[in-house]
């Protein structure tokens, strides 16, 4: 029987007291520090804000060009341009305290020490509701191997950050790993409260004259609708590998995408690239989700979660990712 949309419970608990008013967040790097969209979007209607990647020192980012369109998506190589953690705290945290919507600071680094130091400076700062660790960064001490594609490194950085703060801790998975499950398990075992998945896929575009790579940094991160099937697969595998909640990211442009991610077990979703074309999308999705549940008489959106997962969790595979091309 149909119920009023306002009666649908959209709240979600990501652990360690991080309770979001609804499961629609905005993804890191696509919504600035939240302030930038203040005149266009009612930020207090969002479930959560993952702010721009933040590092210990200010970074000027990569050389231009930094973005290009691709079929069904875009490639970006912003290179974590940001003013550094101290400036972020000074400029934005007091504004965040005035919002109902929790702000998660997305943290990046080039060594375990970098991550720990950034997180220490965020610990206890009013307005900072939690941390999202961007571990898709080269570990300079390990010859540039990304933390996110190595279970030992991913576990180590998570454990070190866990020791440095009691803030709710999300760790963001990279799709550029051959098998996500041991990595997800290492992160969960190291004390993360939740996972988010996925970051961008590594890619390249060629310049119009075909005399070089198009992006100044050569490599970029692919995002947008083109990556949604990959994100669905990673979420599907991660939720079956760990007991902590998983927040889905990748190619969300409409309610059907949100419902698909819930079906494979995500408890919340982040909207990224689609915000550039339609900043009002995330708030509209909140309303559409409530209306969808209300029409079906669901008093909580949680009934949507996991409907496409296998009834019994199979034994972990020794073969790695089980796709058969
Ligand atoms: C321009 C741009 C900048 C981004 N910057 C960050 C970042 O600083 N840290 C991070 O963890 N992810 C960053 N991302 C990745 C997004 O948060 C998201 O994981 C990815 O874009 C997939 O979601 P989408 O397909 O909805 O965009 C960025 C993405 C874009 C397009």
């Amino acid at each position: 029987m149909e119920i009023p949309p306002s009666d649908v419970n959209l709240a979600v608990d990501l652990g360690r007291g991080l309770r979001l008013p609804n499961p629609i967040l905005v993804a890191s790097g696509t919504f600035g520090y939240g302030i930038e969209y203040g005149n266009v979007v009612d930020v207090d209607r969002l479930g959560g804000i993952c702010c721009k990647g933040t590092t210990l020192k200010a970074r000027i980012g990569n050389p231009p060009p930094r973005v290009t369109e691709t079929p069904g998506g875009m490639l970006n190589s912003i290179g974590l341009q940001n003013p550094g953690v101290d400036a972020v705290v000074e400029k934005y945290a007091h504004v965040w305290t005035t919002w109902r919507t929790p702000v998660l600071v997305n943290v990046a680094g080039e060594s375990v020490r970098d991550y720990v130091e950034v997180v220490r400076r965020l610990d206890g700062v009013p307005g900072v509701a939690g941390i999202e660790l961007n571990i898709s960064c080269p570990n300079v001490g390990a010859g540039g191997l990304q933390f996110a594609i190595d279970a030992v490194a991913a576990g180590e950085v998570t454990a070190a950050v866990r020791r440095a703060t009691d803030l709710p801790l999300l760790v963001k998975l990279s799709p550029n790993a051959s098998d996500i499950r041991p990595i997800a398990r290492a992160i969960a075992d190291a004390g993360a409260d939740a996972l988010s998945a996925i970051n961008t896929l590594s890619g390249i575009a060629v310049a119009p004259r075909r005399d070089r790579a198009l992006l100044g940094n050569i490599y970029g991160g692919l995002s947008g609708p083109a990556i949604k099937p990959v994100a669905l697969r990673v979420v599907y595998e991660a939720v079956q590998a760990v007991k902590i909640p998983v927040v889905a990211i990748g190619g969300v442009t409409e309610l059907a995408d949100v419902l698909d991610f819930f079906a494979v077990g995500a408890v919340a979703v982040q909207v990224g690239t689609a915000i550039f074309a339609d900043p009002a999308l995330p708030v509209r999705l909140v309303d559409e989700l409530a209306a969808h549940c209300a029409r079906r008489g669901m008093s909580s959106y949680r009934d949507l979660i996991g409907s496409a997962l296998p009834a019994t969790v199979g034994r972990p595979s020794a073969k790695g990712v089980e796709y058969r091309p």
Side-chain angles (χ1 to χ4, degrees):
M1 200 188 66
E2 204 161 320
I3 60 169
S6 55
D7 283 4
V8 179
N9 182 2
L10 295 179
V12 49
D13 195 336
L14 293 184
R16 216 169 281 258
L18 179 58
R19 205 172 150 76
L20 312 181
N22 67 67
I24 310 291
L25 299 87
V26 290
S28 176
T30 62
F31 206 73
Y33 292 97
I35 321 283
E36 297 85 340
Y37 282 88
N39 294 329
V40 204
V41 178
D42 183 358
V43 287
D44 263 342
R45 300 232 27 238
L46 296 168
I49 295 171
C50 295
C51 78
K52 222 165 145 40
T54 300
T55 51
L56 187 54
K57 300 267 163 54
R59 282 176 62 104
I60 55 166
N62 287 327
R66 294 170 161 195
V67 290
T68 186
E69 277 191 44
T70 60
M74 65 181 274
L75 272 177
N76 91 82
S77 63
I78 306 297
L80 296 173
Q81 180 180 358
N82 80 99
V85 62
D86 292 336
V88 167
V89 166
E90 195 185 312
K91 276 171 130 166
Y92 306 114
H94 65 280
V95 185
W96 298 337
T97 61
T98 65
W99 295 346
R100 178 181 85 123
T101 302
V103 176
L104 307 176
V105 178
N106 182 278
V107 171
E110 292 182 339
S111 66
V112 172
R113 266 171 63 191
D114 267 9
Y115 282 99
V116 167
E117 191 52 40
V118 176
V119 167
R120 277 215 185 100
R121 293 180 195 205
L122 293 167
D123 189 54
V125 173
V128 176
I131 303 290
E132 180 181 55
L133 277 196
N134 172 7
I135 58 169
S136 302
C137 303
N139 179 357
V140 168
L145 183 73
Q146 280 181 28
F147 293 94
I149 63 169
D150 180 65
V152 174
E156 265 170 21
V157 68
T158 305
V161 166
R162 177 74 293 161
R163 285 192 293 274
T165 183
D166 283 328
L167 280 167
L169 176 62
L170 275 71
V171 179
K172 188 165 177 176
L173 300 179
S174 165
N176 304 317
S178 55
D179 186 352
I180 207 64
R181 291 166 297 186
I183 297 169
R185 281 187 210 106
I187 292 169
D189 290 348
D193 298 301
L195 299 174
S196 50
I198 55 175
N199 213 317
T200 53
L201 280 91
S202 178
I204 287 178
V206 175
R209 291 169 61 182
R210 302 208 164 81
D211 53 345
R212 58 181 172 81
L214 186 147
L215 297 173
N217 184 54
I218 302 174
Y219 296 94
L222 181 65
S223 63
I227 74 167
K228 182 185 153 192
V230 179
L232 281 170
R233 187 264 296 167
V234 172
V235 171
Y236 180 89
E237 292 179 341
V239 297
Q240 294 178 78
V242 298
K243 294 203 168 64
I244 56 176
V246 177
V247 178
I249 325 165
V252 171
T253 63
E254 58 178 8
L255 183 67
D257 302 321
V258 175
L259 300 178
D260 285 350
F261 279 120
F262 289 155
V264 296
V267 301
V269 301
Q270 298 183 13
V271 186
T273 300
I275 291 175
F276 295 132
D278 183 5
L281 174 67
V283 169
R284 207 166 59 242
L285 289 174
V286 177
D287 291 335
E288 288 177 5
L289 176 61
H292 175 88
C293 295
R295 274 196 303 276
R296 283 157 185 77
M298 292 176 163
S299 58
S300 166
Y301 87 98
R302 296 195 70 88
D303 296 342
L304 299 166
I305 297 171
S307 59
L309 291 173
T312 51
V313 178
R315 282 188 29 223
S317 161
K319 287 183 293 193
V321 179
E322 291 192 4
Y323 74 98
R324 294 174 179 80

